[in-house]
Amino acid sequence: MTDSNTETLNVSVWRGDASGGQFRDYQVPVQENQTVLDVVTWIQQKIDDTLSYRFACRVGMCGSCAMTVNGEPRWTCRTHVNRVTQSSSLEIGPLRNLPVIKDLTTDMDPFFDKWTKAGGTHRASRSRNDGMVPVDPASKERMIASEGIECINCAVCYAACDTVAANPQYLGPASLQRAWTLVNDEKHDDRSAVLRAVAAEGGCYNCHSHGSCTRYCPVELNPMKAVAGLKRTTVAKLWGK
Amino acid sequence: MLNVRLYMLQRLSALVMAPLVVGHIAVMIVAVQGGLTTAEILSRTQGSLWWMLFYGLFVIAVSVHAAIGLRVVAYEWLGVKQKLSALLSIIVFIGLLILGMRAVFAVTLS
């Protein structure tokens, strides 16, 4: 990065907690190759150290820094300011569809609770004494599973989903995609239990295929396709196939 | 909100409706060619088992499809509680079924 120049960015950052809050304006110097997370960090370090936000790896792997940037959910560590600014202004808020703890930090519990509810916990089909299940990387099932395993659990899809916003029971795209990878994983024990979990109330049938999950997924996965796979497979089970 | 039974009922009812909608529109286009009169319509439908089955099936499919759809709309968009939206959808189903069947019998029974 070069040194700061005279250009400044007008940044509105949501400040508050579970009881409410509002956007507060900050002036941040423009820098080359500046990410949204850089902007938030600059405010926290140079202007107001009470600003709360969450991040860890800064390289798009840990999935902890997602926020709402100019109205859209994004991973902030990999979002360059110059790609999202509108007339050198930036609005940064907490993720939608999750309870706010403070400022830009949301409570991720509902997200991970639903992940578990959708049968997302891995249950090994063999013990350490049984040896490995042979998995052919080119098999159809494995290729389907591989499409979804790079999820970083950033909850961008969960925040983008209008069905989650309207229907609090709905498990959401990330947990259902995780379930779909397990349904296609030969190493997972009792895959029909996963299918039962996603067919229960709040499960895959509530998806309206709006496609916001797939549109906003920062690692370009396709949760909508995974949910469609779950609908198809659970219905086929109903017909004994 | 939706379980597998409601999900499949809504899709199957849509499957039934699709050709019936096309048939209904096709008949309308043909029927208006010679002017649209009550006598002309009744002469085609009265005493016809075929039209009774056509529109009877149509009414059942619409009642099922609309009731499930409105149940979700009420819950997700209007904030109606789940049990109340389920009750509303049953009322819509029965209401559409009674109104629709009355109309079908009125124009097909001679």
Side-chain angles (χ1 to χ4, degrees):
Chain A
M1 276 187 201
T2 57
D3 287 328
S4 57
N5 53 30
T6 49
E7 256 190 286
T8 57
L9 200 60
N10 301 312
V11 189
S12 289
V13 179
W14 196 88
R15 302 301 304 273
D17 53 30
S19 60
Q22 71 283 313
F23 282 96
R24 207 176 291 169
D25 295 331
Y26 300 93
Q27 303 284 311
V28 178
V30 172
Q31 289 180 312
E32 243 181 278
N33 296 323
Q34 193 175 23
T35 66
V36 175
L37 186 64
D38 291 335
V39 169
V40 175
T41 301
W42 198 92
I43 294 170
Q44 203 258 1
Q45 293 190 349
K46 308 274 187 184
I47 305 177
D48 186 351
D49 59 7
T50 67
L51 174 63
S52 299
Y53 65 111
R54 189 188 284 127
F55 77 98
C57 75
R58 296 173 295 157
V59 289
M61 289 176 74
C62 72
S64 52
C65 71
M67 299 168 198
T68 307
V69 182
N70 285 346
E72 297 181 13
R74 292 184 183 278
W75 54 354
T76 56
C77 71
R78 299 290 299 265
T79 302
H80 281 254
V81 170
N82 57 16
R83 296 188 69 177
V84 289
T85 44
Q86 291 150 351
S87 59
S88 64
S89 66
L90 202 57
E91 189 188 86
I92 308 171
L95 277 184
R96 189 172 74 134
N97 295 341
L98 288 163
V100 173
I101 299 172
K102 182 174 172 288
D103 302 334
L104 302 171
T105 319
T106 49
D107 181 0
M108 301 287 280
D109 275 358
F111 176 77
F112 287 110
D113 286 347
K114 287 180 179 179
W115 206 79
T116 314
K117 205 175 166 194
T121 311
H122 177 59
R123 293 182 205 289
S125 55
R126 297 187 185 183
S127 77
R128 69 182 67 186
N129 304 317
D130 299 330
M132 298 277 278
V133 180
V135 177
D136 176 8
S139 72
K140 195 176 165 222
E141 273 194 321
R142 190 60 230 171
M143 281 163 79
I144 292 172
S146 294
E147 283 178 9
I149 56 173
E150 297 298 334
C151 173
I152 57 172
N153 289 304
C154 63
V156 161
C157 60
Y158 190 81
C161 179
D162 286 341
T163 310
V164 170
N167 178 356
Q169 295 176 340
Y170 179 47
L171 295 172
S175 64
L176 291 172
Q177 177 171 254
R178 163 69 180 173
W180 182 232
T181 64
L182 293 181
V183 166
N184 288 286
D185 186 349
E186 289 157 275
K187 302 188 302 302
H188 193 74
D189 193 31
D190 199 4
R191 291 188 264 171
S192 55
V194 181
L195 289 176
R196 279 196 302 277
V198 299
E201 201 159 27
C204 61
Y205 306 117
N206 294 280
C207 168
H208 296 307
S209 306
H210 290 156
S212 300
C213 50
T214 303
R215 160 81 177 74
Y216 286 103
C217 175
V219 284
E220 297 178 351
L221 304 182
N222 193 344
M224 185 172 67
K225 189 177 165 192
V227 177
L230 288 174
K231 287 177 181 171
R232 212 170 40 241
T233 309
T234 48
V235 167
K237 283 260 172 203
L238 206 67
W239 263 260
K241 284 185 180 175
Chain B
M1 172 86 305
L2 286 188
N3 54 30
V4 69
R5 206 179 38 155
L6 291 172
Y7 172 81
M8 282 314 289
L9 273 174
Q10 200 174 27
R11 265 128 199 96
L12 289 173
S13 59
L15 206 69
V16 170
M17 277 197 297
L20 296 178
V21 168
V22 173
H24 175 68
I25 292 171
V27 170
M28 270 168 53
I29 291 168
V30 173
V32 293
Q33 300 302 317
L36 196 61
T37 63
T38 311
E40 194 264 339
I41 294 169
L42 290 178
S43 72
R44 186 173 46 249
T45 57
Q46 269 183 343
S48 165
L49 180 66
W50 196 87
W51 283 120
M52 189 192 281
L53 289 175
F54 183 96
Y55 280 108
L57 189 62
F58 208 159
V59 163
I60 293 168
V62 167
S63 306
V64 169
H65 194 82
I68 298 170
L70 289 174
R71 174 192 169 113
V72 178
V73 171
Y75 178 71
E76 290 193 4
W77 288 75
L78 306 177
V80 177
K81 293 263 184 294
Q82 197 179 355
K83 277 189 179 162
L84 188 59
S85 60
L87 182 69
L88 279 174
S89 97
I90 291 168
I91 293 170
V92 168
F93 170 70
I94 293 170
L96 286 176
L97 199 64
I98 291 172
L99 288 172
M101 281 307 185
R102 270 190 69 202
V104 170
F105 290 138
V107 296
T108 54
L109 293 176
S110 49

